[in-house]
Amino acid sequence: MEKQELEENIQQLSALINEMPDFVCFKDGEGRWLKTNQFSVELFELEHIPYVGKTDAELATYSPFFKDAFLYCEQSDKRAWESGVVSRCEEQIPQVDGTSKTFDVIRVPLFYPDGHRKGLIVIGRDVTDRKIAEEHIKHLAYHDELTGLPNRRYLYEVLDRELLQSSPVAILFMDLDRFKIVNDSLGHLIGDQLLQMVAERLVNGIAKGTAFHHSGDEFIVVIPETNRKECEQIARQIIDHYSTPFNLDSNDIFISPSIGICISENVENRISVQEMIKFADLAMYEAKREGKNTFRFYTKVITSQAQATLQMETHLHRALERNEFVLHYQPQIDLHSGKVCGLEALIRWNHPELGFVSPGEFIPLAEETGLIVPIGKWVLYTACKQVKEWQDKGLPPLRVAVNLSARQFYQTDLVEMVCKVLKETKLAPGYLELEITESITMDVGRSIKILTDLKRLGIEISIDDFGTGYSSLAYLKKFPVDKLKIDQSFVRDCLKNSSDATIVQTIISMAKNLNLRVIAEGVETKEHLPFLQQHLCHEAQGYLFCKPVSIDELEHKFAKVETILAKCGVPEAINQQLWLEEALRMARQDLHDTIRMQQGMTFKFKENNGAFIHTLGDGELLYRMGLSPGKMVGKELFDFLPPEEAQKKLMYYKQAWAGHCVNYEGKLNGVYYFAALRPIIRAGCVVEVIASCVDITERKQMEEELEQSEMRWRQIVKIAARRYPRTAERKNPLL
Ligand code: C2E
Ligand code: CA
Ligand code: CA
């Protein structure tokens, strides 16, 4: 009777539940299916299965595909009855395409008053889309969108609890060296791509641990159950992994990491992940201070150094307002004349408590914090002003070189700022030189544009610390720069170390070939001078001549500085001789280049034992005819022309050697040319014949075309004449 009642109720409900987008199933007290809805029939593919009166276990034998789902369901039913209350859980239902759907399933157990099981209502709602969206949101919240790596929140929230229990655990804090320059120079899009590649390499490069993206160019690797030796190995592996460049936008970008490591056993107990990260970060700064591309373990000493840096940063912020900066100047000497030809402005920080702070210490900090922009502006303004005052005193006019850091180079209003400073200080632009570093040459297009704009102001540009960076020589010739400064490290050891000597020599000759001036920095001893003079380095700068001094001090030292080259360098006469030879070499080179660049070609020959031997041959036309100076010079006609052609030319050569001016036309490898031979006569004798040739191919082709059309015309007229003899004769004067 009660069962019937239940069935009636179920029938009344069936119309309603068939419309529901959830699966609904009524079961009896034994777990047998009594009634279900259309959604459920379709979901479990029950159309052809007599499911009424079957338990889940029985249905599992009918339908192997849903077997696991049915068996799981049976277990959940059991638990629902046992608990005696409404229960809720998530269940996976497989799909034919191999995926599965997640259902939020509610079970309502029904009992007789005596406590026996009466039945069970199971209702399941498809929550797959919501689950996916939730997962996605969770993933986004815990992963970095750019690199796909788990993010800082993941690290802090999840691992803070778990990781520090498994001890000892290590945190490797990795920061990319010079990443800001890449970002500033190549743009954020490339910077982002680079970060993605860096992340990928990091994941592939660690044998153990999990990589996290911390922020910007900072990454963290967490290594569980580890020790100092293993951390060291992993850090080395990571550094090794970045030794090959990344290729992006056809630029080879070298990125090196600096790594700080903190191991939990080396710090006090019950320390949070955040604190460990802070310590690893401090150790990373230490790695950077010690030359980058390396790793350091955290120690207590590091904390005090970091505090000092922080303190210095605070002081640096106030230094400009408090007028604590001064400029010192170091003269640059012309190695031809021995005279001072320029000054380099070098900043000095005179702090009331810290005392004298070297630029090597605070410039990197200023670059990092961005303070270099206002400081750099102050340097530029002060240097221009002081040099203008120097000139106004009637002292020898000198050019001043101001250092420009990469950060300043890419500041958007650099050109306007320089222009404004020149205007305000009234220094002629020709007396200002900006020293840039090789690193800015990374973004070729952008830096060429900035350099061109700067050059347009009329100032000079030099590349500082040349040889230590990675500028490609192919690019170098495209950069509108005037001067290379050979890095002091090469100059210092050029007398002791043969590879440094070769580097110095090579930079000098390369600079000359590119028509650039070249200066050697860090010239400390008089032994350096003959080496640089022999290789005709244009300028030198270093303690040998003068340390950087204030402008007033320089005025007093000036005369003495200008005596150093004469005292310590090679004897005056030899120096002059060397430069004279160089001037001659340059003039020859210039002539050579002129001949090569001209549109036609020039050649010369002389008679030697009855043969005409070519002594010169160059010019663009020569190459177009399939020849080259090497094929022609030292050779006679028969060596490079077909015999018939050579024989013809020999006749002209003989006439010219006899003292006549000869002109002729020729053709070689499809190129028509006109040649004019002119004998050079000394003391009544022909000593040489010089010839110049021009390309007449175009004219010849036109002549040929004209000739051919004329021939065609004649033929037409001939045919016409045959057909209409009189009219044709009369009308055509050609016949
Ligand atoms: P730098 O541009 O390569 O400057 C040359 C450095 O070498 C100077 O160090 C100079 O005093 C030193 N020096 C000159 N002759 C000799 C020598 O014969 N032997 C040795 N051992 N050293 C010599 P300083 O003044 O300490 O400057 C260090 C660096 O700080 C500079 O290297 C430059 O990169 C940076 N810097 C200095 N002033 C400025 C500035 O106004 N702006 C920017 N952005 N950077 C600056
Ligand atoms: Ca410099
Ligand atoms: Ca330098």
Side-chain angles (χ1 to χ4, degrees):
M1 179 63 188
E2 278 149 346
K3 187 178 172 189
Q4 200 183 342
E5 210 176 280
L6 180 67
E7 276 176 4
E8 269 171 25
N9 288 342
I10 291 171
Q11 266 179 4
Q12 282 171 359
L13 281 172
S14 62
L16 177 69
I17 61 170
N18 264 341
E19 296 305 315
M20 282 173 68
D22 305 326
F23 86 68
V24 182
C25 181
F26 295 91
K27 294 176 179 176
D28 67 12
E30 307 296 321
R32 285 187 289 257
W33 286 49
L34 296 175
K35 181 79 193 162
T36 193
N37 67 344
Q38 191 55 30
F39 186 94
S40 174
V41 169
E42 282 167 21
L43 180 70
F44 294 104
E45 296 176 354
L46 298 170
E47 287 95 340
H48 308 294
I49 296 174
Y51 61 87
V52 178
K54 301 278 186 313
T55 62
D56 283 325
E58 284 164 345
L59 285 177
T61 62
Y62 276 91
S63 176
F65 185 72
F66 294 104
K67 186 180 160 200
D68 291 343
F70 280 127
L71 294 181
Y72 187 82
C73 202
E74 190 174 43
Q75 295 300 316
S76 304
D77 289 359
K78 234 188 215 166
R79 280 197 293 275
W81 267 315
E82 278 162 12
S83 72
V85 289
V86 175
S87 68
R88 190 169 185 174
C89 68
E90 275 179 6
E91 278 170 37
Q92 298 296 321
I93 314 282
Q95 298 292 296
V96 274
D97 64 3
T99 60
S100 68
K101 288 198 161 183
T102 308
F103 278 78
D104 181 14
V105 185
I106 295 173
R107 286 185 169 77
V108 186
L110 305 169
F111 296 93
Y112 290 110
D114 64 2
H116 281 92
R117 295 172 186 178
K118 185 178 179 185
L120 184 72
I121 304 171
V122 187
I123 303 167
R125 171 158 293 184
D126 182 355
V127 291
T128 316
D129 290 345
R130 197 189 75 204
K131 288 300 279 185
I132 292 174
E134 271 173 18
E135 282 298 317
H136 187 63
I137 290 167
K138 196 168 158 198
H139 189 273
L140 282 186
Y142 286 102
H143 289 80
D144 168 48
E145 209 179 339
L146 182 68
T147 60
L149 290 183
N151 61 11
R152 185 164 38 182
R153 176 186 294 178
Y154 196 130
L155 183 70
Y156 286 2
E157 285 184 11
V158 182
L159 298 180
D160 198 18
R161 271 175 279 126
E162 296 172 8
L163 264 172
L164 295 179
Q165 285 160 9
S166 78
S167 81
V169 59
I171 287 197
L172 265 70
F173 194 108
M174 174 177 117
D175 183 284
L176 305 179
D177 304 330
R178 298 183 297 104
F179 178 74
K180 281 196 185 68
I181 299 178
V182 176
N183 230 9
D184 289 350
S185 63
L186 300 183
H188 291 262
L189 218 60
I190 297 278
D192 283 355
Q193 283 177 27
L194 184 65
L195 283 179
Q196 286 169 340
M197 291 164 109
V198 164
E200 206 181 303
R201 254 195 219 184
L202 180 64
V203 172
N204 296 332
I206 45 174
K208 184 177 169 186
T210 314
F212 295 82
H213 182 241
H214 191 244
S215 71
D217 61 339
E218 296 167 352
F219 295 84
I220 279 176
V221 180
V222 177
I223 310 169
E225 282 155 26
T226 189
N227 53 45
R228 192 180 165 100
K229 200 166 162 222
E230 189 181 54
C231 288
E232 211 174 302
Q233 260 172 7
I234 293 175
R236 277 190 215 286
Q237 267 170 3
I238 295 175
I239 290 170
D240 262 12
H241 229 65
Y242 291 105
S243 58
T244 45
F246 290 94
N247 191 277
L248 258 175
D249 208 19
S250 61
N251 288 307
D252 269 347
I253 303 176
F254 286 90
I255 277 288
S256 58
S258 291
I259 299 172
I261 308 168
C262 178
I263 306 181
S264 59
E265 64 180 3
N266 293 351
V267 291
E268 290 144 33
N269 280 340
R270 300 176 66 228
I271 179 176
S272 69
V273 165
Q274 278 98 321
E275 278 171 301
M276 272 188 74
I277 291 173
K278 196 178 90 190
F279 289 155
D281 188 7
L282 291 178
M284 182 280 293
Y285 265 96
E286 191 57 20
K288 278 210 192 286
R289 269 165 51 93
E290 294 192 12
K292 304 183 174 144
N293 197 22
T294 186
F295 63 90
R296 284 289 170 271
F297 282 94
Y298 167 76
T299 62
K300 286 220 172 78
V301 181
I302 285 179
T303 316
S304 55
Q305 274 165 351
Q307 275 161 355
T309 309
L310 204 68
Q311 198 188 11
M312 195 196 284
E313 195 182 322
T314 321
H315 289 302
L316 196 56
H317 273 276
R318 285 189 226 125
L320 258 183
E321 302 160 23
R322 297 189 179 173
N323 238 342
E324 289 168 5
F325 292 122
V326 281
L327 283 189
H328 277 189
Y329 295 88
Q330 190 176 33
Q332 302 177 326
I333 284 77
D334 181 320
L335 288 182
H336 183 183
S337 66
K339 298 250 180 277
V340 175
C341 57
L343 306 172
E344 177 174 4
L346 293 156
I347 192 167
R348 301 287 175 256
W349 181 14
N350 200 352
H351 187 268
E353 291 151 38
L354 303 173
F356 167 79
V357 188
S358 118
E361 257 178 272
F362 72 85
I363 292 285
L365 191 65
E367 282 171 346
E368 222 167 82
T369 53
L371 277 170
I372 192 67
V373 173
I375 294 177
K377 192 171 166 186
W378 177 86
V379 172
L380 185 74
Y381 182 84
T382 312
C384 290
K385 187 164 155 266
Q386 293 190 328
V387 166
K388 176 70 172 121
E389 280 165 8
W390 168 284
Q391 292 179 357
D392 291 346
K393 273 192 195 170
L395 292 161
L398 293 173
R399 179 190 63 225
V400 66
V402 173
N403 291 283
L404 211 62
S405 77
R407 188 93 186 236
Q408 288 174 274
F409 186 77
Y410 287 111
Q411 84 195 64
T412 44
D413 61 345
L414 173 73
V415 181
E416 290 96 82
M417 192 266 282
V418 174
C419 193
K420 197 163 160 242
V421 166
L422 286 171
K423 244 189 218 148
E424 281 174 16
T425 58
K426 297 194 177 70
L427 181 75
Y431 290 110
L432 176 64
E433 176 178 312
L434 293 180
E435 292 193 4
I436 56 169
T437 56
E438 278 177 89
S439 63
I440 67 104
T441 59
M442 226 169 354
D443 182 353
V444 181
R446 211 166 142 216
S447 36
I448 288 182
K449 161 119 194 22
I450 299 173
L451 288 174
T452 311
D453 289 348
L454 285 172
K455 285 289 310 166
R456 220 172 269 144
L457 300 179
I459 63 177
E460 304 263 300
I461 310 278
S462 61
I463 301 189
D464 203 359
D465 306 339
F466 190 79
T468 55
Y470 37 78
S471 51
S472 135
L473 296 188
Y475 290 151
L476 191 60
K477 67 173 187 231
K478 294 190 195 163
F479 281 90
V481 296
D482 305 278
K483 193 160 146 187
L484 301 183
K485 293 191 85 173
I486 309 174
D487 188 65
Q488 21 182 309
S489 60
F490 306 121
V491 178
R492 191 189 313 125
D493 297 331
C494 71
L495 300 175
K496 290 181 250 156
N497 182 326
S498 67
S499 58
D500 282 350
T502 313
I503 291 172
V504 173
Q505 242 169 290
T506 311
I507 296 177
I508 295 174
S509 72
M510 188 185 69
K512 291 205 166 138
N513 286 334
L514 292 170
N515 239 336
L516 303 175
R517 287 182 71 74
V518 58
I519 177 165
E521 273 194 285
V523 178
E524 289 183 358
T525 66
K526 57 179 196 269
E527 287 76 26
H528 280 128
L529 276 188
F531 177 84
L532 294 168
Q533 284 180 294
Q534 292 288 349
H535 292 103
L536 296 158
C537 181
H538 297 114
E539 295 168 26
Q541 173 184 348
Y543 295 167
L544 172 69
F545 297 98
C546 187
K547 289 201 169 181
V549 290
S550 71
I551 195 106
D552 297 331
E553 209 177 325
L554 185 71
E555 201 180 322
H556 298 117
K557 292 200 163 172
F558 201 80
K560 200 169 160 224
V561 171
E562 293 199 328
T563 62
I564 309 265
L565 188 77
K567 261 196 246 157
C568 309
V570 299
E572 168 77 15
I574 296 178
N575 194 27
Q576 291 308 328
Q577 176 70 22
L578 285 168
W579 282 99
L580 211 62
E581 280 169 14
E582 171 70 358
L584 210 62
R585 192 193 66 79
M586 298 251 298
R588 275 207 205 106
Q589 180 70 37
D590 206 37
L591 186 68
H592 204 77
D593 290 348
T594 314
I595 292 173
R596 177 160 296 171
M597 309 265 268
Q598 67 161 359
Q599 295 253 304
M601 76 179 246
T602 304
F603 66 85
K604 294 204 278 188
F605 63 82
K606 273 182 182 172
E607 196 213 37
N608 194 353
N609 292 332
F612 293 117
I613 306 294
H614 294 86
T615 52
L616 173 96
D618 210 341
E620 196 241 13
L621 182 58
L622 183 75
Y623 293 91
R624 261 194 289 131
M625 290 198 297
L627 292 173
S628 65
K631 282 185 186 163
M632 200 170 179
V633 176
K635 309 277 167 55
E636 54 175 321
L637 284 165
F638 291 90
D639 293 332
F640 58 89
L641 287 184
E644 237 175 80
E645 198 66 18
Q647 194 63 45
K648 253 196 254 169
K649 303 288 164 339
L650 188 62
M651 197 179 71
Y652 300 128
Y653 275 37
K654 280 181 181 162
Q655 286 175 14
W657 197 256
H660 303 288
C661 290
V662 183
N663 298 336
Y664 63 89
E665 287 181 8
K667 183 184 178 188
L668 190 61
N669 290 331
V671 180
Y672 288 97
Y673 62 94
F674 173 83
L677 307 185
R678 298 291 174 264
I680 297 171
I681 300 169
R682 289 214 183 98
C685 283
V686 177
V687 288
E688 201 170 26
V689 173
I690 182 162
S692 62
C693 301
V694 284
D695 187 352
I696 53 165
T697 311
E698 214 171 309
R699 196 196 82 203
K700 275 286 181 194
Q701 278 166 351
M702 271 167 57
E703 274 176 17
E704 265 174 23
E705 270 166 33
L706 205 68
E707 232 168 72
Q708 276 171 9
S709 69
E710 196 179 303
M711 260 163 55
R712 275 198 300 275
W713 168 239
R714 278 173 193 273
Q715 264 172 349
I716 293 167
V717 173
K718 251 189 213 161
I719 295 164
R722 253 182 258 134
R723 286 205 191 150
Y724 318 101
R726 255 161 291 146
T727 40
E729 258 170 44
R730 200 162 10 96
K731 279 191 182 158
N732 188 0
L734 288 169
L735 291 172

Short mmCIF file of all heavy atoms in Angstrom, two decimals, residues 344 435 464-465 485 487-488 521, ligand 3:
data_model
loop_
_atom_site.label_atom_id
_atom_site.label_comp_id
_atom_site.label_asym_id
_atom_site.label_seq_id
_atom_site.Cartn_x
_atom_site.Cartn_y
_atom_site.Cartn_z
N GLU A 344 87.33 64.21 -19.39
CA GLU A 344 86.17 63.38 -19.05
C GLU A 344 85.67 63.85 -17.69
O GLU A 344 86.44 63.96 -16.74
CB GLU A 344 86.54 61.89 -19.00
CG GLU A 344 85.32 61.07 -18.57
CD GLU A 344 85.50 59.56 -18.60
OE1 GLU A 344 86.63 59.09 -18.88
OE2 GLU A 344 84.52 58.85 -18.33
N GLU A 435 79.54 59.80 -23.64
CA GLU A 435 80.09 58.45 -23.62
C GLU A 435 78.96 57.47 -23.35
O GLU A 435 78.32 57.53 -22.30
CB GLU A 435 81.16 58.32 -22.53
CG GLU A 435 82.39 59.13 -22.83
CD GLU A 435 83.57 58.76 -21.93
OE1 GLU A 435 83.44 57.82 -21.12
OE2 GLU A 435 84.61 59.42 -22.05
N ASP A 464 82.18 53.82 -24.69
CA ASP A 464 83.03 53.63 -23.51
C ASP A 464 83.30 52.15 -23.27
O ASP A 464 82.53 51.30 -23.72
CB ASP A 464 82.28 54.21 -22.30
CG ASP A 464 83.22 54.59 -21.16
OD1 ASP A 464 84.44 54.38 -21.30
OD2 ASP A 464 82.72 55.08 -20.13
N ASP A 465 84.36 51.86 -22.55
CA ASP A 465 84.69 50.47 -22.15
C ASP A 465 84.61 49.52 -23.33
O ASP A 465 84.11 48.40 -23.22
CB ASP A 465 83.71 49.98 -21.05
CG ASP A 465 83.68 50.92 -19.87
OD1 ASP A 465 84.63 51.69 -19.70
OD2 ASP A 465 82.69 50.90 -19.12
N LYS A 485 86.51 54.01 -26.99
CA LYS A 485 87.41 54.09 -25.83
C LYS A 485 87.78 52.66 -25.46
O LYS A 485 86.91 51.90 -25.01
CB LYS A 485 86.71 54.75 -24.64
CG LYS A 485 86.39 56.21 -24.86
CD LYS A 485 85.94 56.87 -23.55
CE LYS A 485 87.15 57.34 -22.74
NZ LYS A 485 86.76 58.12 -21.56
N ASP A 487 88.73 49.71 -23.40
CA ASP A 487 88.55 49.51 -21.96
C ASP A 487 89.89 49.40 -21.24
O ASP A 487 90.84 48.80 -21.74
CB ASP A 487 87.73 48.25 -21.71
CG ASP A 487 87.38 48.15 -20.24
OD1 ASP A 487 86.63 49.02 -19.77
OD2 ASP A 487 87.89 47.23 -19.57
N GLN A 488 89.91 49.95 -20.02
CA GLN A 488 91.19 49.99 -19.29
C GLN A 488 91.76 48.62 -18.98
O GLN A 488 92.97 48.48 -18.86
CB GLN A 488 91.14 50.83 -18.04
CG GLN A 488 89.83 51.10 -17.42
CD GLN A 488 90.02 52.00 -16.20
OE1 GLN A 488 90.82 51.72 -15.34
NE2 GLN A 488 89.27 53.08 -16.16
N GLU A 521 92.15 54.09 -22.43
CA GLU A 521 91.87 54.53 -21.05
C GLU A 521 92.79 53.81 -20.09
O GLU A 521 93.30 52.73 -20.41
CB GLU A 521 90.46 54.10 -20.67
CG GLU A 521 89.38 55.04 -21.04
CD GLU A 521 88.11 54.63 -20.30
OE1 GLU A 521 87.49 53.64 -20.67
OE2 GLU A 521 87.78 55.32 -19.34
CA CA B 3 85.64 53.45 -19.37
#
